[in-house]
Amino acid sequence: LERQLLMQNQMRERQTAMQIAWTREFLKYFGTFFGLAAAGLTAGAIKKKKPGLLLPIVPLSFIFAYQYDMGYGTLLQRMKG
């Protein structure tokens, strides 16, 4: 029974490590997309003088912040607590 509990704990730790690794990899691509989108939308808003073009940056920034907290922050520790 003790070996089974140790094995389950090890599998849980591996799953958590894989989830963090996937999040960090996703963050690389999403961060690039977010940066390019923010720069393009800002340039378009300035060029066309339409501040409404900046609105998509708000939800994208929430997604970026969540993914960053998941990969490099303390989200998983807070969830465990």
Side-chain angles (χ1 to χ4, degrees), residues 1 4-5 14-15 23 28 36 38 43-45 47 53 56 60 62-63 67 71 74-75 79:
L1 182 64
Q4 187 177 7
L5 289 174
R14 285 183 182 178
Q15 281 182 321
T23 301
K28 290 178 189 176
L36 291 173
K47 187 175 182 180
L53 289 175
L60 291 176
F62 280 106
I63 295 169
Q67 292 295 329
T74 59
L75 181 64
M79 287 171 64

Side-chain angles (χ1 to χ4, degrees), residues 41-42 44-46 48-57:
L41 289 170
T42 303
I46 291 171
K48 294 185 178 190
K49 297 181 182 177
K50 292 185 179 179
L53 289 175
L54 296 174
L55 286 177
I57 293 176

